[in-house]
C-alpha cells in the first residue's frame, strides 16, 4: 500500500464506493461469495455506457484486490479480471491514442471563444510539458521555477516538490520539466509570463478535473469530431507523439520529459501511422478551419491574456 500514491488510493476508494452504491440501489448483497459475480455485472453495465472506459473497472478491480483481498491474488476476482481483459481487447487503448496538435489547438481556440482562458492555457501547458491532468490542475506558484533572464529565460515546473510532501505517480519527489524549451514555443513562454502574473496562488483555482473533462466532452460535439478523441488524459501522449513525429525530440528526450521509466513506454510514439490516422476523427468540411485555427492559436491566446 505504501507504494501506491494517495491520488491512486483515492481513485480506488471512489470506484469501490460507486460499486457499493450501485449494489445498494439494486438490492444486491455484497459478500465474499457474491463479490466476483456482482463486479462482473456492474462492469457489464459500465461497458454499455458510452462515456465509460475500461480504466474505470480497472480501478475497481485492483482497488478491491489491494484493499479487500483475503486470499492469493490469482484466486481473487478471477471472473472480473477475465471480463476486464475482454473489455480492454474491445477498446485497446483507444482513449490513449494521440491526436495531431492541430486538434488540440482547435480545442484551445474554442475554449477561448467560450471565455475559458484557464482551460485553453491548461491544455496547451499539458501538451507542451506532458503533465498529467491532475498534476497540471494542482499547480501552484511554489511548483514553479521563474526565469532568471539571459540564458536562463525558461520557466520550469517541479511536479512534486519535496517540501509539500507529495510524490509523483511513480513515488518520486522533485521531478521537473522545462516549459516551452523549443524555439518554436517562444509564444508559450510569453503566455506563461502573463498567466502566472494573473494567478498569484493556484494556477487553476476555479478548474476541477470533473469540469475540465466535461468541457472536453461537450467541445468534441461542438467541433463536429466523430468521437471524444481529445480528452485531458491524452494531451500528455499527444505531446510526446507530435514531438516524435515532427522530430522535435528524440525518444530518449521524450522518455525523460515524460518521466517514463521504461523505454518500451515511449516506443509507441514511433508509430506515426496511429497519429496520422486520427485525422479521420475530424469532419471533412472542417479541415481547413482546423488548420487555420491552429496557426492562429498562439496569437489568439496571447491576446486573451493581455
Amino acid at each position: 500500500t505504501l507504494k501506491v500514491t494517495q491520488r491512486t488510493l483515492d481513485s480506488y476508494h471512489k470506484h469501490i464506493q460507486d460499486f457499493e452504491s450501485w449494489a445498494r440501489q439494486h438490492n444486491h448483497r455484497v459478500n465474499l461469495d457474491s463479490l466476483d459475480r456482482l463486479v462482473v455485472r456492474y462492469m457489464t453495465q459500465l461497458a454499455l455506457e458510452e462515456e465509460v472506459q475500461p480504466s474505470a473497472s480497472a480501478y475497481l478491480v485492483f482497488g478491491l484486490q489491494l484493499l479487500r483481498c483475503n486470499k492469493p491474488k490469482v484466486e481473487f476476482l478471477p471472473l472480473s479480471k477475465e471480463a476486464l481483459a475482454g473489455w480492454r481487447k474491445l477498446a485497446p487503448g483507444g482513449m490513449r491514442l494521440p491526436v495531431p496538435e492541430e486538434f488540440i489547438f482547435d480545442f484551445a481556440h474554442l475554449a477561448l471563444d467560450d471565455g475559458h482562458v484557464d482551460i485553453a492555457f491548461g491544455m496547451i501547458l499539458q501538451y507542451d510539458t506532458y503533465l498529467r491532468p491532475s498534476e497540471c490542475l494542482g499547480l501552484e506558484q511554489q511548483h514553479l521555477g521563474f526565469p532568471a533572464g539571459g540564458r536562463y529565460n525558461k520557466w520550469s515546473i517541479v511536479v512534486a516538490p519535496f517540501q509539500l510532501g507529495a510524490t509523483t505517480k511513480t513515488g518520486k519527489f522533485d521531478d521537473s520539466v522545462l516549459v516551452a524549451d523549443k524555439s518554436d514555443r517562444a509564444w508559450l513562454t510569453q503566455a506563461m509570463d502573463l498567466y502566472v502574473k494573473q494567478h498569484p496562488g493556484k494556477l487553476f483555482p476555479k478548474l476541477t478535473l470533473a469540469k475540465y473533462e466535461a468541457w472536453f466532452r461537450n467541445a468534441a460535439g461542438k467541433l463536429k469530431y466523430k468521437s471524444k478523441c481529445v480528452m485531458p488524459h491524452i494531451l500528455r501522449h499527444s505531446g510526446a507523439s507530435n514531438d516524435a513525429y515532427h522530430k522535435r525530440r528524440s525518444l530518449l528526450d521524450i522518455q525523460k520529459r515524460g518521466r517514463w521509466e521504461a523505454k518500451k513506454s515511449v516506443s509507441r510514439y514511433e508509430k506515426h501511422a496511429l497519429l496520422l490516422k486520427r485525422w479521420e476523427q475530424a469532419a471533412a468540411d472542417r479541415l481547413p478551419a482546423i488548420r487555420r485555427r491552429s496557426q492562429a492559436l498562439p496569437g489568439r491566446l496571447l491576446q486573451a491574456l493581455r
Side-chain angles (χ1 to χ4, degrees):
T1 304
L2 294 176
K3 295 181 180 179
V4 178
T5 67
Q6 186 60 50
R7 187 180 299 113
T8 301
L9 279 174
D10 290 343
S11 293
Y12 284 162
H13 282 295
K14 176 186 180 300
H15 285 85
I16 291 173
Q17 290 168 2
D18 289 345
F19 162 69
E20 292 174 338
S21 175
W22 168 85
R24 286 193 298 271
Q25 291 174 5
H26 293 81
N27 297 317
H28 295 311
R29 185 176 180 181
V30 180
N31 53 43
L32 293 178
D33 294 328
S34 66
L35 181 62
D36 197 16
R37 173 176 54 82
L38 290 176
V39 169
V40 170
R41 183 180 295 187
Y42 177 66
M43 288 168 57
T44 301
Q45 179 174 313
L46 292 181
L48 297 174
E49 298 179 12
E50 181 182 353
E51 304 297 338
V52 181
Q53 295 300 309
S55 57
S57 289
Y59 275 114
L60 172 61
V61 170
F62 294 107
L64 287 169
Q65 179 170 279
L66 179 68
L67 302 171
R68 306 285 176 84
C69 182
N70 59 355
K71 60 178 70 173
K73 291 181 180 179
V74 294
E75 300 176 10
F76 188 70
L77 300 181
L79 298 178
S80 300
K81 290 174 182 175
E82 183 178 354
L84 176 60
W87 189 2
R88 281 173 163 167
K89 287 180 181 179
L90 290 173
M95 292 300 285
R96 301 290 179 183
L97 288 177
V99 297
E101 66 185 11
E102 287 86 351
F103 286 17
I104 296 167
F105 288 7
D106 187 32
F107 272 66
H109 210 289
L110 178 64
L112 294 174
D113 291 343
D114 288 348
H116 296 302
V117 178
D118 53 351
I119 290 177
F121 183 76
M123 72 174 79
I124 298 302
L125 188 62
Q126 261 195 272
Y127 173 70
D128 177 74
T129 60
Y130 308 172
L131 289 180
R132 298 177 178 88
S134 55
E135 293 171 341
C136 182
L137 299 185
L139 289 176
E140 302 180 25
Q141 291 270 344
Q142 54 195 323
H143 292 94
L144 304 179
F146 289 72
R151 292 181 299 168
Y152 306 96
N153 61 345
K154 302 296 182 186
W155 287 89
S156 63
I157 295 174
V158 181
V159 180
F162 179 80
Q163 65 268 27
L164 296 184
T167 64
T168 65
K169 186 177 180 180
T170 56
K172 295 181 179 179
F173 294 102
D174 293 333
D175 275 357
S176 62
V177 61
L178 288 178
V179 179
D181 61 333
K182 295 298 179 181
S183 58
D184 63 343
R185 296 273 170 84
W187 59 271
L188 182 53
T189 298
Q190 298 177 49
M192 190 80 176
D193 293 340
L194 296 168
Y195 190 88
V196 171
K197 286 179 182 178
Q198 298 170 17
H199 298 81
K202 294 182 177 181
L203 265 61
F204 303 96
K206 298 180 180 179
L207 193 56
T208 64
L209 182 57
K211 180 180 177 181
Y212 196 40
E213 291 177 336
W215 183 88
F216 276 88
R217 284 194 292 268
N218 293 330
K222 288 183 179 180
L223 295 172
K224 298 172 63 176
Y225 285 89
K226 297 176 183 177
S227 69
K228 296 172 179 59
C229 56
V230 182
M231 290 293 290
H233 59 271
I234 67 95
L235 296 175
R236 160 180 170 86
H237 303 288
S238 296
S241 187
N242 279 275
D243 280 351
Y245 177 74
H246 293 290
K247 295 181 171 56
R248 297 188 186 109
R249 306 181 198 278
S250 67
L251 280 186
L252 180 59
D253 289 338
I254 288 171
Q255 181 180 349
K256 291 178 179 178
R257 188 170 184 80
R259 295 164 284 129
W260 285 287
E261 294 191 338
K263 185 177 180 180
K264 65 180 182 181
S265 296
V266 298
S267 61
R268 57 185 145 169
Y269 301 125
E270 288 183 304
K271 301 176 181 179
H272 302 318
L274 293 176
L275 178 66
L276 297 176
K277 189 172 176 58
R278 298 301 275 171
W279 276 102
E280 296 175 355
Q281 298 300 312
D285 63 349
R286 286 204 68 247
L287 293 179
I290 291 173
R291 293 188 173 95
R292 185 173 61 252
R293 284 156 64 91
S294 173
Q295 294 172 356
L297 188 277
R300 178 81 171 79
L301 178 61
L302 291 173
Q303 181 183 23
L305 287 169
R306 288 188 174 117

